[in-house]
Amino acid sequence: MEHIVIIGNGISGVTLARHIRKLSDKKITIVSGETDYFFSRTALMYIYMGHMKFEHTQPYEDWFWKKNRIDLRKAFVQHIDTDKKTLALDDGDLLTYDKLVIATGSKPNKFGWPGQDLDGVMGMYHKQDLENLEAYAPNNKVCKRAVIVGGGLIGIELAEMLNSRNIPVTFLVRESSFWNGVLPEGESVMINRHIKNHHIDLRLSTNLKEIKSDSNGKVKSVIIEETGEEIACDVVGLTAGVSPNIDFIKSSNIETGRGVKVNRYLETNVPDVYAIGDCAEQHEAIGNRRPIEAVWYTGRMMGETLAQTICGNRIQYKPGHWFNSAKFLDIEYQTYGWVFSKPKEGHAHFHWRHADDTKCITIEYDISTNQFVGINTFGIRMRHETFDTWLTENRDVDYVINHLSEANFDPEFYSHYETEVLSAYNNQLQTA
């Protein structure tokens, strides 16, 4: 019986295993050293904030794996021998495969800062990070202040987590405005204000120089690169992005760049070896997407796609129109299609912001054809299916603005603001 071995029990690997089982009777083994069972990584923050327990983040009961004949092996892979088709595990065992799938996800970036491995320094990606946070920042008596380094989505989540326990937070963001490599200026500046309104000490254009230790090897302070200022703290969160977790692969014959290199079929350069999820890097990016996508839903889609290929129906990975969502403290963010921080050449932005400074919309469109390219919404819930359809139908921006109520997930919003959005759009056209 053909043996499929999957390294990694995140959303990609588990989705793949489930779909292979739906399609076949192949032998399936998932190898992971992080946790016994699959859990929803995006829910870690809600455990710390008291909204759920860890067992609530596990979508499948423990019996699910045995019932579906998916073997779970708690171990880390140390080396892959693609000639012999074996994996060397850290417990000394060798595991043999017929087909191998690498789904090892990401690890937090570290940039060689002095003190980055001290006690009290952590990322916010793995279950072990959550356990560390609970140990070093259970409350504001044990943790008098936390410093977060890196201004992306994980950084803002960690700030919200600490804020929920009334722990003072200093937030070091290298960029001149929060997440301004992704967000247009109006949105980024609104989020800056929102962060400060939550009494978070936001420091823009600020870099970490070093993390200082007390006599016990624990964090006691950080030093700011630009000013030399020392900030006393008990916890440092390193959230300056993530990188593919592939160090153990580099000694094998599998081609790597930043991630494991794959083609459109998610195949590596070695027959019978594949990669999916955060650790996979497309040889050529798909449309405007990045070659590596650390996004939950694309990991799931890769798992579903590769299951078909492994079970004899070889198909390409086609992720469709870009979309994503996140939360900035209590402001929900959604994006559909492409809205760049600065409009692409030949494009323009329409931006509307509500007077309460917690809701806004930015639409990107083609100036010459008026074609709708994408939308960002803050504080307003929109329907994914509606925008997916409009992008496929190549609707123009006038159509989108005049039909926004059809896309709205929350009818109360549009009874208040739809006229205002349309009026702002018409005014912009008249002054353009």
Side-chain angles (χ1 to χ4, degrees):
M1 185 185 294
E2 188 175 49
H3 186 197
I4 314 298
V5 174
I6 302 163
I7 309 174
N9 72 345
I11 184 65
S12 305
V14 165
T15 301
L16 172 67
R18 285 179 46 243
H19 282 262
I20 290 174
R21 178 54 70 236
K22 284 180 184 178
L23 296 166
S24 77
D25 286 324
K26 297 177 190 296
K27 179 175 167 60
I28 303 170
T29 301
I30 298 177
V31 182
S32 173
E34 184 185 1
T35 53
D36 290 325
Y37 301 105
F38 167 64
F39 70 96
S40 174
R41 198 174 297 285
T42 53
L44 282 177
M45 66 182 292
Y46 299 112
I47 302 169
Y48 183 83
M49 292 169 72
H51 301 316
M52 56 173 62
K53 295 180 178 176
F54 182 72
E55 53 265 33
H56 300 154
T57 73
Q58 296 177 285
Y60 307 107
E61 300 288 349
D62 294 354
W63 51 258
F64 171 88
W65 310 100
K66 192 167 188 179
K67 181 188 173 193
N68 286 281
R69 304 185 320 285
I70 298 170
D71 296 329
L72 303 180
R73 186 71 187 271
K74 193 167 184 187
F76 288 105
V77 176
Q78 292 188 318
H79 178 68
I80 302 171
D81 186 330
T82 55
D83 295 328
K84 294 179 180 174
K85 290 193 165 184
T86 57
L87 308 179
L89 306 181
D90 63 347
D91 59 11
D93 273 6
L94 279 181
L95 192 62
T96 304
Y97 67 84
D98 295 303
K99 285 190 167 68
L100 176 68
V101 183
I102 301 161
T104 48
S106 300
K107 59 179 182 178
N109 288 333
K110 291 186 176 182
F111 293 106
W113 293 295
Q116 67 183 18
D117 296 316
L118 290 170
D119 293 339
V121 180
M122 62 203 71
M124 195 56 238
Y125 187 82
H126 298 105
K127 181 171 184 276
Q128 286 81 357
D129 294 324
L130 181 69
E131 291 162 358
N132 274 333
L133 194 65
E134 198 62 71
Y136 289 100
N139 54 51
N140 57 15
K141 293 183 178 65
V142 173
C143 180
K144 301 283 197 300
R145 176 167 294 274
V147 173
I148 298 171
V149 182
L153 295 179
I154 299 175
I156 194 81
E157 285 183 357
L158 183 53
E160 181 176 1
M161 291 163 69
L162 292 158
N163 210 32
S164 74
R165 295 198 186 183
N166 300 311
I167 294 169
V169 175
T170 294
F171 197 3
L172 308 184
V173 175
R174 182 180 59 186
E175 292 79 19
S176 58
S177 187
F178 181 81
W179 216 36
N180 64 357
V182 174
L183 299 180
E185 183 182 9
E187 299 174 355
S188 175
V189 169
M190 185 181 90
I191 297 302
N192 291 342
R193 290 190 292 266
H194 192 64
I195 292 168
K196 290 175 181 175
N197 287 342
H198 280 74
H199 309 293
I200 291 166
D201 175 25
L202 177 64
R203 308 282 190 97
L204 298 170
S205 302
T206 303
N207 286 277
L208 173 67
K209 183 180 181 183
E210 66 173 303
I211 304 167
K212 303 206 78 159
S213 171
D214 67 10
S215 57
N216 298 314
K218 184 181 171 298
V219 171
K220 72 165 187 178
S221 64
V222 300
I223 306 293
I224 301 299
E225 177 80 52
E226 288 74 14
T227 62
E229 177 189 358
E230 185 169 5
I231 301 172
C233 59
D234 302 290
V235 161
V236 175
L238 299 182
T239 62
V242 294
S243 301
N245 184 23
I246 60 164
D247 288 348
F248 72 100
I249 296 164
K250 291 177 180 175
S251 61
S252 73
N253 296 325
I254 301 163
E255 184 185 355
T256 60
R258 281 192 64 233
V260 179
K261 292 280 196 175
V262 294
N263 62 16
R264 290 289 192 269
Y265 296 91
L266 305 167
E267 299 162 333
T268 69
N269 63 310
V270 177
D272 297 328
V273 179
Y274 310 83
I276 55 176
D278 296 19
C279 67
E281 179 181 6
Q282 288 283 332
H283 283 286
E284 293 175 19
I286 299 171
N288 286 314
R289 289 170 177 269
R290 293 179 176 177
I292 299 170
E293 289 191 312
V295 183
W296 185 88
Y297 79 87
T298 56
R300 190 194 69 223
M301 290 169 76
M302 287 186 210
E304 292 171 357
T305 301
L306 184 57
Q308 293 287 331
T309 293
I310 283 176
C311 293
N313 177 29
R314 187 170 178 261
I315 58 172
Q316 288 193 19
Y317 167 60
K318 293 182 178 175
H321 299 298
W322 169 253
F323 71 94
N324 203 4
S325 62
K327 238 173 121 217
F328 298 95
L329 299 163
D330 48 3
I331 296 181
E332 287 193 43
Y333 157 72
Q334 293 174 293
T335 183
Y336 302 104
W338 295 104
V339 180
F340 298 96
S341 57
K342 292 183 173 58
K344 281 188 81 171
E345 191 175 343
H347 289 187
H349 282 170
F350 160 67
H351 181 70
W352 168 84
R353 179 168 56 89
H354 187 255
D356 71 7
D357 206 28
T358 65
K359 301 177 190 71
C360 71
I361 291 172
T362 303
I363 292 176
E364 183 151 336
Y365 62 95
D366 187 298
I367 296 168
S368 58
T369 64
N370 240 21
Q371 184 177 329
F372 168 67
V373 178
I375 185 169
N376 287 352
T377 70
F378 282 80
I380 306 159
R381 269 195 191 165
M382 297 289 196
R383 293 182 191 279
H384 175 202
E385 298 80 10
T386 307
F387 283 110
D388 207 52
T389 300
W390 290 348
L391 287 162
T392 299
E393 293 172 348
N394 294 322
R395 292 291 185 180
D396 64 26
V397 65
D398 299 318
Y399 180 92
V400 170
I401 290 285
N402 281 284
H403 291 80
L404 273 180
S405 58
E406 295 171 20
N408 188 249
F409 203 76
D410 179 7
E412 294 96 54
F413 169 79
Y414 276 101
S415 62
H416 296 295
Y417 309 127
E418 186 181 16
T419 309
E420 189 182 325
V421 175
L422 183 57
S423 172
Y425 175 69
N426 289 332
N427 287 339
Q428 179 180 305
L429 283 189
Q430 287 161 15
T431 55

